[in-house]
Amino acid sequence: MPLSQLTLHNFRNYPELRLNAVPGFMVFSGANGAGKTNILEAVSLLAPGRGLRRAALRDIAYQNGPGDFAVAAQLGDVHLGSGTSMEAPERRKTRINEAAVPTNDLAEWLSILWLTPAMDRLFTEGASGRRNFLDRLVTALEPSHAGNCARYEAARRERNRLLADAYPANHSWMEGLDVQLARFGSLVAEARDRMVSALNQGLQQSDSRIFATPAMQLADDELHSEHQLHQMLQHYRPADRAAGRTIRGPHRTDLLVMHSAKQQPAEKCSTGEQKALLFSIILAHADLIAERRNSRPILLLDEVAAHLDPQRRAALFDKLAERGGQVWLTGTEPELFREIPDSALHFEVADGTVRQR
């Protein structure tokens, strides 16, 4: 279900902003620094996690404001809201129909995917970025995954604290943490494995004439059952104590992507090919969500048109229009979006103001 309205309060460079939205394309054009990406970031905060910039909450609030911010949206008859207060600017609060709920509950109502220029480095930087990327894909389809990841990380932080302590921890205390790590770690690993398998199946059926077809694989040897993961944690406990941290487990997983036609790792492909691989993954994932949840996700595509030649740009817009769903796009020039359907809403963004064209 698409958003029908978006309201911002003290968000980035917008003291106040209210936008009506349509089910199809929402197009924002304007100079760099005008505030286009800020609008997409606001939408991304209607999903669990830290949004498309992964910014600290204090950096999101309007610079000349009191320190709070709010993002609200209308989704059919449902009102979604997320933000901070002046009293607690470092704590994000979420409401659904005015009732306070955990932020992870947003995933029950909305699936949101995004592609940003920063993600161009996904295949060449560290594994943590690829794990975060994969976990966002999983959460969009399996909302409980966000909670399982959070519980795993909380247990791992506590275990690392005990491992780094100069005095050995009580055995039963450490054993209890190992039980938690094994339980939530196995749930996290199994969900990731399901996602990679489902995406690979969808990608094999995709049209490779426009965008490159990737093959995905989890690179770890920790994809175990709960029992096996528990045994591994017990076995490596002496090595973990020597290192002062948990050295093996799902927190070390990496996502490997291969250009199928060239049989070449994504990190060795050209920048354009890497972008094409990302497009293919995002589109396949959107199709998977539509199939499983009977509702297309909201797509946030930041500055994507400028990196495509006219043929691929037109093909992308055709694919998005054919599949339906709500798509929010940004670009510096309105001419980049000439092939977008006439039903789209076009906005001009300049110095924190948004005007419909």
Side-chain angles (χ1 to χ4, degrees):
M1 186 181 297
L3 301 181
S4 58
Q5 190 176 82
L6 178 71
T7 305
L8 308 184
H9 169 73
N10 288 339
F11 189 92
R12 295 287 188 182
N13 64 329
Y14 296 103
E16 301 289 341
L17 179 66
R18 176 169 294 181
L19 292 173
N20 292 323
V22 294
F25 291 88
M26 299 282 293
V27 181
F28 301 86
S29 57
N32 292 327
K36 305 183 300 297
T37 304
N38 294 343
I39 295 172
L40 270 57
E41 181 185 26
V43 177
S44 75
L45 288 173
L46 296 170
R50 295 170 55 188
L52 59 80
R53 281 193 176 109
R54 297 185 62 79
L57 294 175
R58 63 179 177 273
D59 295 332
I60 297 175
Y62 182 59
Q63 187 173 8
N64 298 321
D68 66 330
F69 75 85
V71 178
Q74 200 68 29
L75 183 71
D77 296 331
V78 179
H79 183 77
L80 307 176
S82 193
T84 62
S85 64
M86 289 182 286
E87 297 75 22
E90 300 291 337
R91 181 184 175 192
R92 183 177 167 193
K93 299 179 180 179
T94 301
R95 291 183 175 273
I96 298 178
N97 286 337
E98 304 308 323
V101 299
T103 300
N104 287 342
D105 283 10
L106 289 168
E108 299 286 351
W109 296 93
L110 273 180
S111 294
I112 303 176
L113 309 177
W114 56 81
L115 194 57
T116 69
M119 292 169 64
D120 291 349
R121 302 187 295 273
L122 183 70
F123 300 125
T124 57
E125 293 190 337
S128 63
R130 290 184 288 277
R131 279 195 302 274
N132 289 333
F133 172 70
L134 177 59
D135 286 335
R136 287 200 306 274
L137 300 185
V138 177
T139 299
L141 194 60
E142 300 184 35
S144 62
H145 183 69
N148 291 333
C149 287
R151 294 181 184 97
Y152 176 83
E153 285 303 316
R156 186 171 71 90
R157 285 194 299 269
E158 180 64 13
R159 188 177 191 268
N160 286 351
R161 187 184 68 80
L162 296 182
L163 290 169
D165 199 314
Y167 301 96
N170 179 280
H171 176 78
S172 60
W173 192 354
M174 182 67 77
E175 178 62 20
L177 288 172
D178 283 357
V179 168
Q180 291 184 52
L181 274 178
R183 179 188 308 136
F184 295 115
S186 63
L187 291 173
V188 168
E190 289 166 3
R192 289 170 174 169
D193 188 51
R194 284 193 298 272
M195 175 55 64
V196 169
S197 297
L199 282 175
N200 278 334
Q201 184 176 357
L203 287 164
Q204 289 171 6
Q205 302 168 1
S206 63
D207 184 358
S208 61
R209 292 172 299 176
I210 301 172
F211 298 114
T213 300
M216 305 169 67
Q217 178 184 346
L218 288 173
D220 68 359
D221 57 358
E222 315 303 344
L223 191 58
H224 302 307
S225 68
E226 181 177 345
H227 175 68
Q228 291 172 319
L229 185 53
H230 188 204
Q231 286 187 319
M232 185 201 71
L233 288 167
Q234 291 178 316
H235 177 76
Y236 282 97
R237 196 179 293 172
D240 289 348
R241 176 164 292 283
R245 57 187 174 85
T246 305
I247 58 178
R248 305 185 74 176
H251 59 284
R252 302 287 296 175
T253 298
D254 196 0
L255 174 67
L256 302 183
V257 177
M258 181 81 69
H259 189 305
S260 294
K262 300 179 69 172
Q263 285 298 295
Q264 187 173 17
E267 65 269 22
K268 295 185 178 180
C269 292
S270 70
T271 302
E273 288 172 329
Q274 291 178 7
K275 192 81 170 183
L277 292 169
L278 266 177
F279 269 125
S280 294
I281 292 171
I282 293 295
L283 292 175
H285 187 238
D287 289 343
L288 183 62
I289 290 175
E291 176 187 333
R292 299 277 183 87
R293 299 190 69 172
N294 199 30
S295 177
R296 294 202 69 81
I298 292 175
L299 296 181
L300 310 176
L301 306 179
D302 189 25
E303 300 287 355
V304 297
H307 299 281
L308 298 173
D309 58 55
Q311 180 182 2
R312 284 187 170 84
R313 191 162 61 231
L316 173 63
F317 295 155
D318 285 345
K319 277 181 174 288
L320 294 173
E322 175 187 329
R323 285 163 167 77
Q326 193 172 56
V327 184
W328 299 59
L329 300 116
T330 68
T332 54
E333 301 295 335
E335 290 75 18
L336 294 170
F337 305 104
R338 281 182 296 183
E339 295 88 354
I340 293 266
D342 294 338
S343 58
L345 287 186
H346 292 259
F347 299 89
E348 181 180 1
V349 183
D351 298 325
T353 62
V354 181
R355 180 179 63 85
Q356 186 173 341
R357 288 183 175 274

